Amino acid sequence: MSQSLCGRCETIDLNEIIAGSIPPNSRSIAEGWIHSQTFSQLRASAQACELCSILLGDAASNPLVRDDDCVHLLTFTRNSWPRAGPATIAGITVHIGRKGVNVLHSVRRVDVWVEDSQGSQTVLGKLISARPIGPEWDPAILRRWLHTCIHGHAVCRLPAPAIDLTRDEEAPELPTRVLDVGSADPVRHPMLVETLGRKDRYVALSHCWGPTPSSITKTERAGDNLRRRLQGIPVEELSTNFRHAVEVTRALGYQYLWIDSLCIVQDDPQDWAAESVKMAEVYSRASLTIATANSASADEGFLKPRDRRRTVTLPFRAAPGVTSGYFTVAEPSPEDAKEFRDHFQVEVDGGPLAARGWTLQERLLARRTVFFGRDQMHWECRSARWSESTRTQLIQYLESSAPGLVALRGLPMLDSNPAQQDRARLLNDWYRVLGEFTRRGLTNKQDSLPALSGIAKVVSHGLGPGFDTTYRAGLWAHDLPRALLWTTFAPDAGSGATLPGPSWSWISRASAIYPASDDPAARTDILGAAWDVVLDGSDPYGRVKRGTLTLTGYLKQVACIRRIQREPRVIGPHSYHYPLSDALLYDGQALQIGSAVLDDPSDKSVFAQALYAVPVRHLMANTSPVLYIRAVEAMLLQDRGDGTFRRVGVASMGGSNANDARCKDAPFAQPFQVFFYDAPVTEVRIT
């Protein structure tokens, strides 16, 4: 490719830039390689030189940049990529500022990459890890990832824990229905197929339905829709995401594709109940999951045109005067020009798909997933994480970045032999997933339990035989004290956050859930528990119609609750959401006894009607020579007037030491929180 370069750009030596990017000592800063003695020279040269134009960027519009500023080039690295030797180059920064003074008026980052032909074992391939991103998606890259994983990753051939499957060497049983993707040449339209237990390999789609689900292509019994789907579906009748998924499936050489809205009859409650139970198996069995990370709705599509970048290819001289390869300097996106972004994190964990509830277990239980991002493709399996810009160079998040959802991918619960795990760690994994899940959106809020049923099965399997794995409406019975003490971040104003479901379960809330801490000093105050939960179907991990939890414990009325007056909560795009105390609690002597986090702070009845507290657990502190309780955590209840209570929040109450005279006749082991010293033992029915 012909390119017009100035004399200075013709002489660029990458080794010299690297050498200038290393500070001479700990008290100095790197000066880099001087490209232009003055900014005015760079600006003038950019009129004719392609590389100068890329290096210039928008610096000419920066009012701080002066004509006599010096222009330096330095390399930078991605500091947390695994490496055995010297750090690989992630790009070049353009520093514009006063010569000899550590004052920068402009900093611009540009991308640097090498072609795959250089190879990771060559000098240049080891020096630069990034690979070019094409203007269109390249099936060859995806085929390479798939081949590498299938033939090189033994752990990825194992099924997810608790999923009874064959290994990848054998074709699994197909889902009840799949889409036969047909062919483009000769033209053969896709068609829905009822598999009748047939075995074959297939691809699954993970996608967003979008704000208007009516636009999605669905299978229904009404209007003879199902019969017509079984006879064939013209490609133009498919929503854009589905057309693109068919194209990708065909390009990879697979015949079958599973899409939820097509393969489950949407207006048949019995079919939905039977098939939704199998969704964890569907994704775990799939040879590959296609994830539409850059698409927020069915008609948006995910094979989108990419920005065409200006590039300049330069010779690499391993020794003076000896050209041993070529590398490319590429114009970055406007966002990348300002700071080095983790594209996997931005496009995968920050994309529309990561905001949806169903897609969490789809991602965690899949053997391998390709994410179609805005700028490039990304790969995730149990052994590797790659991006199109890295090919098969393993990547990790930057150390300075938030861990994000990707941290969940390595949870011990997903180990191939979770029965050997520590149960406490397994439960901590569950609560981490629960916290992430409840921050996501669901088209149907009553799908909370079905959308987590696959993960719940994995946890149940991991707890092992001979252990109580009772699971009721999203709570593990053997971990009941911690399970009951979830809190939620609900807006101060009316939010309509109440959902159908027992009030003691987090499924009754439409807000983000914050599980209680795993405190080794916690001791239960629940003397007994009995469940009466009615399922909405046959899946023990699925929807529930209603549920009553009867606790045997200590119950006492709270004399007074007062709202905490503060400024309305402001929830910004970068703020950390967490529950705040909504009220203070007082005993009959008007002494403050604790604080409360309410499930719905806008519920005025909490402050107008009688409020009761039932202690769930207390936290011990061992400060020699006195053993004392540092806190008691309780559920706050409201009498429904029919012999049952409803949960309205949780409370944290200060503890007391053994010298408190009021504790000497407590009906439970001393020491205990003063407020409950005369509380009677009773059965509390909570619905």
Side-chain angles (χ1 to χ4, degrees):
M1 182 181 68
S2 61
Q3 51 189 13
S4 175
L5 299 180
C6 67
R8 190 57 173 162
C9 287
E10 291 277 10
T11 64
I12 285 180
D13 188 317
L14 187 58
N15 285 317
E16 291 184 4
I17 299 177
I18 294 173
S21 303
I22 303 173
N25 54 62
S26 60
R27 296 183 298 276
S28 304
I29 61 172
E31 182 176 336
W33 183 78
I34 297 178
H35 178 277
S36 303
Q37 293 291 340
T38 65
F39 174 69
S40 59
Q41 291 176 347
L42 175 65
R43 185 177 55 202
S45 179
Q47 300 298 317
C49 174
E50 293 182 47
L51 182 53
C52 282
S53 177
I54 292 174
L55 299 177
L56 177 68
D58 61 357
S61 63
N62 187 336
L64 298 177
V65 174
R66 304 179 351 175
D67 282 351
D68 60 349
D69 282 344
C70 188
V71 181
H72 305 252
L73 302 184
L74 295 87
T75 57
F76 65 94
T77 62
R78 176 173 178 141
N79 60 3
S80 62
W81 278 3
R83 54 187 180 269
T88 54
I89 294 171
I92 291 177
T93 57
V94 184
H95 289 186
I96 303 175
R98 294 178 61 187
K99 187 174 182 179
V101 179
N102 187 24
V103 176
L104 297 179
H105 295 151
S106 175
V107 177
R108 175 175 172 80
R109 300 175 185 267
V110 296
D111 292 332
V112 176
W113 65 51
V114 294
E115 296 290 342
D116 282 334
S117 58
Q118 293 292 334
S120 60
Q121 300 306 312
T122 65
V123 173
L124 187 56
K126 292 179 180 178
L127 196 62
I128 301 173
S129 59
R131 298 296 186 265
I133 301 172
E136 306 290 342
W137 83 283
D138 185 354
I141 296 172
L142 184 48
R143 292 191 199 105
R144 177 181 174 185
W145 286 342
L146 190 59
H147 182 273
T148 301
C149 181
I150 289 176
H151 296 284
H153 297 163
V155 69
C156 297
R157 294 195 291 271
L158 296 173
I163 307 300
D164 184 15
L165 304 176
T166 57
R167 293 171 177 260
D168 250 8
E169 289 87 343
E170 301 177 32
E173 182 177 312
L174 289 168
T176 304
R177 301 179 193 89
V178 290
L179 186 70
D180 182 332
V181 297
S183 59
D185 186 19
V187 176
R188 185 169 66 85
H189 289 309
M191 63 184 297
L192 197 63
V193 175
E194 293 184 333
T195 61
L196 303 176
R198 191 162 71 252
K199 293 185 176 183
D200 209 332
R201 293 178 174 84
Y202 66 95
V203 174
L205 180 67
S206 178
H207 66 110
C208 292
W209 285 41
T212 54
S214 59
S215 67
I216 199 168
T217 309
K218 293 183 286 189
T219 295
E220 298 174 328
R221 294 198 183 278
D224 210 23
N225 178 280
L226 174 58
R227 185 187 63 81
R228 288 187 289 107
R229 295 267 189 264
L230 293 169
Q231 293 177 345
I233 311 172
V235 173
E236 58 271 16
E237 290 186 10
L238 296 173
S239 51
T240 311
N241 273 353
F242 296 178
R243 292 201 301 270
H244 289 171
V246 166
E247 179 181 340
V248 173
T249 304
R250 288 172 173 174
L252 295 176
Y254 287 89
Q255 183 178 356
Y256 299 117
L257 170 66
W258 188 88
I259 302 175
D260 54 0
S261 68
L262 280 176
C263 299
I264 300 176
V265 183
Q266 297 299 310
D267 62 350
D268 185 335
Q270 288 75 30
D271 192 73
W272 191 94
E275 295 303 312
S276 64
V277 174
K278 306 173 185 176
M279 290 181 71
E281 286 85 349
V282 167
Y283 284 97
S284 186
R285 287 173 172 166
S287 295
L288 176 69
T289 294
I290 299 171
T292 64
N294 67 0
S295 177
S297 64
D299 54 3
E300 187 175 323
F302 60 88
L303 298 180
K304 301 176 181 178
R306 301 170 178 177
D307 294 334
R308 293 187 175 271
R309 302 186 181 197
R310 293 187 297 163
T311 61
V312 172
T313 300
L314 299 174
F316 173 70
R317 304 175 183 91
V322 179
T323 298
S324 57
Y326 293 86
F327 67 96
T328 298
V329 178
E331 184 176 34
S333 67
E335 298 84 4
D336 290 332
K338 300 301 180 184
E339 61 179 345
F340 182 54
R341 301 186 305 158
D342 187 319
H343 284 270
F344 192 104
Q345 188 174 31
V346 170
E347 296 194 358
V348 175
D349 290 345
L353 200 66
R356 306 305 301 167
W358 275 102
T359 63
L360 178 59
Q361 76 172 4
E362 294 169 6
R363 175 177 178 182
L364 292 180
L365 297 181
R367 299 185 192 222
R368 50 189 76 91
T369 304
V370 58
F371 299 89
F372 283 84
R374 174 63 184 86
D375 296 322
Q376 57 180 302
M377 292 184 295
H378 306 275
W379 174 275
E380 183 179 68
C381 61
R382 297 175 191 165
S383 304
R385 192 171 296 119
W386 302 317
S387 289
E388 194 171 338
S389 58
T390 64
R391 297 300 196 267
T392 54
Q393 166 78 42
L394 293 177
I395 62 173
Q396 295 178 344
Y397 278 150
L398 299 181
E399 293 172 357
S400 59
S401 302
L405 174 61
V406 76
L408 296 178
R409 199 60 167 90
L411 290 180
M413 73 157 62
L414 298 171
D415 288 348
S416 59
N417 193 10
Q420 304 302 316
Q421 298 175 40
D422 178 83
R423 290 187 176 113
R425 289 185 61 195
L426 184 62
L427 286 172
N428 285 337
D429 289 350
W430 162 260
Y431 288 117
R432 286 179 60 190
V433 170
L434 179 60
E436 167 67 26
F437 173 78
T438 55
R439 284 157 179 77
R440 295 172 167 231
L442 286 168
T443 302
N444 184 349
K445 295 293 186 180
Q446 295 187 54
D447 284 349
S448 292
L449 291 175
L452 269 186
S453 62
I455 299 296
K457 291 175 185 176
V458 170
V459 174
S460 178
H461 175 78
L463 291 173
F467 192 78
D468 182 7
T469 56
T470 302
Y471 179 81
R472 295 290 184 267
L475 275 61
W476 297 100
H478 71 277
D479 194 39
L480 190 56
R482 183 181 180 188
L484 287 173
L485 290 171
W486 51 267
T487 50
T488 183
F489 186 98
D492 287 316
S495 61
T498 301
L499 297 174
S503 66
W504 42 264
S505 171
W506 54 268
I507 67 171
S508 65
R509 314 307 306 173
S511 303
I513 297 301
Y514 294 80
S517 63
D518 177 26
D519 196 321
R523 304 291 184 269
T524 184
D525 296 316
I526 298 173
L527 305 180
W531 308 82
D532 181 14
V533 176
V534 180
L535 297 175
D536 186 6
S538 59
D539 183 9
Y541 304 98
R543 290 177 179 172
V544 299
K545 290 183 178 179
R546 58 185 179 276
T548 300
L549 172 61
T550 302
L551 295 181
T552 302
Y554 308 99
L555 182 71
K556 188 170 182 180
Q557 184 174 350
V558 177
C560 179
I561 177 173
R562 295 176 183 170
R563 185 187 298 275
I564 296 176
Q565 299 296 329
R566 60 169 180 271
E567 294 297 320
R569 300 173 189 171
V570 178
I571 304 177
H574 305 294
S575 62
Y576 178 68
H577 307 173
Y578 58 93
L580 301 173
S581 296
D582 300 294
L584 298 178
L585 307 177
Y586 298 86
D587 64 10
Q589 302 177 35
L591 297 175
Q592 182 180 323
I593 55 174
S595 59
V597 177
L598 302 178
D599 296 339
D600 186 356
S602 65
D603 185 355
K604 296 180 180 179
S605 70
V606 176
F607 301 92
Q609 299 178 18
L611 189 68
Y612 297 84
V614 55
V616 174
R617 70 179 186 179
H618 59 274
L619 309 179
M620 301 299 299
N622 188 2
T623 304
S624 181
V626 179
L627 181 69
Y628 68 97
I629 292 176
R630 54 186 169 90
V632 174
E633 295 175 331
M635 272 198 302
L636 294 177
L637 307 175
Q638 190 178 74
D639 193 341
R640 292 185 184 271
D642 60 357
T644 67
F645 293 82
R646 75 176 181 107
R647 176 192 141 134
V648 296
V650 298
S652 177
M653 302 177 176
S656 62
N657 62 43
N659 297 323
D660 195 305
R662 289 179 291 179
C663 288
K664 63 184 179 64
D665 296 323
F668 31 72
Q670 295 185 34
F672 207 80
Q673 210 278 338
V674 173
F675 176 70
F676 292 106
Y677 83 98
D678 60 351
V681 175
T682 186
E683 287 191 347
V684 185
R685 298 178 66 234
I686 311 170
T687 58

